[in-house]
């Protein structure tokens, strides 16, 4: 009886190792499939003087971020200032023709002195885009002539979607 146990134990350990290796291979294949479909969403946020032409001048403030996602999974951006909060949720979807459909929802809370009354704006857009194409989003709109005279600023978000390029080890 003891001899049988000694023979069965290594066989069970060997079988467990084979199953574990097979599961590791499935996990590796799944990760490879995810990375093959992964997308980089590059977001540049700029604050521009009201009289600046979009993308023509360096903004008073600039921040850039690159997020990794897969089609159908959203990317969230949150900007907060003294009197403004901006939330942007972008979800890229792959279309049958290979291009992307960018679905974005923006929410803006804005308080303006002296009333200190909060204003809320919400937007929802679906934009077909090609890889590398720039999408510009102005969460507060583009300043009109009266706003330019008062020295208001524009907030510009630039969104670019490109396929993820895995860096090869050297």
């Amino acid at each position: 009886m003891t001899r049988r146990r000694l023979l069965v134990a290594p066989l069970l350990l060997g079988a467990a190792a084979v199953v574990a290796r097979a599961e590791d291979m499935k996990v590796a294949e799944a990760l490879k499939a995810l990375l093959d479909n992964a997308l980089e969403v590059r977001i540049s946020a700029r604050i521009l003087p009201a009289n600046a032409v979009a993308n023509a001048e360096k903004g008073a403030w600039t921040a850039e971020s690159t997020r990794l996602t897969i089609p159908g999974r959203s990317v969230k951006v949150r900007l907060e200032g003294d009197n403004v909060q901006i939330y942007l949720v972008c979800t890229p979807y792959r279309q049958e023709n290979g291009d992307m459909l960018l679905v974005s929802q923006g929410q803006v809370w804005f308080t303006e002195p002296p009333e200190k009354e909060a204003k809320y704006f919400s937007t929802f857009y679906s934009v077909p885009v090609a890889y590398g194409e720039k999408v510009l989003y102005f969460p507060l709109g583009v300043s009109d002539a009266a706003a330019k005279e008062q020295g208001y600023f524009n907030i510009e978000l630039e969104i670019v979607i490109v396929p993820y390029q895995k860096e090869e080890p050297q």
Side-chain angles (χ1 to χ4, degrees):
M1 188 68 147
T2 306
R3 200 178 254 203
R4 280 188 186 172
R5 285 186 188 165
L6 290 175
L7 290 175
V8 172
L11 288 175
L12 289 175
L13 288 174
V18 169
V19 169
R21 181 173 289 151
E23 286 182 14
D24 284 345
M25 289 175 61
K26 288 180 186 176
V27 169
E29 290 172 8
L31 286 175
K32 183 181 179 327
L34 277 175
L35 287 177
D36 288 345
N37 290 312
L39 302 168
E40 281 186 18
V41 179
R42 299 175 184 157
I43 301 168
S44 299
R46 290 183 275 286
I47 297 179
L48 302 168
N51 57 0
V53 178
N55 272 338
E57 292 185 24
K58 183 79 173 160
W61 175 84
T62 302
E64 296 187 7
S65 175
T66 299
R67 310 274 174 88
L68 188 63
T69 191
I70 57 174
R73 185 164 182 262
S74 63
V75 172
K76 298 172 180 85
V77 177
R78 182 177 175 165
L79 300 173
E80 292 188 23
D82 291 339
N83 63 341
V84 66
Q85 292 183 4
I86 300 170
Y87 301 113
L88 177 65
V89 179
C90 297
T91 309
Y93 293 96
R94 186 167 284 127
Q95 295 180 318
E96 290 179 12
N97 66 0
D99 283 347
M100 300 303 299
L101 178 68
L102 179 63
V103 177
S104 63
Q105 177 193 12
Q107 298 178 24
V108 178
W109 285 268
F110 183 73
T111 56
E112 190 172 4
E115 313 95 42
K116 293 288 187 186
E117 179 180 318
K119 296 177 184 176
Y120 173 76
F121 305 98
S122 179
T123 58
F124 186 87
Y125 293 104
S126 296
V127 182
V129 295
Y131 289 120
E133 185 178 358
K134 293 178 182 179
V135 176
L136 296 179
Y137 173 61
F138 295 89
L140 300 178
V142 179
S143 296
D144 59 9
K148 289 178 182 179
E149 288 176 12
Q150 294 178 356
Y152 285 153
F153 285 79
N154 285 323
I155 297 175
E156 173 189 278
L157 297 176
E158 177 183 290
I159 305 160
V160 178
I161 302 171
V162 295
Y164 172 70
Q165 298 293 320
K166 183 179 173 185
E167 294 180 13
E168 299 294 328
Q170 296 180 2

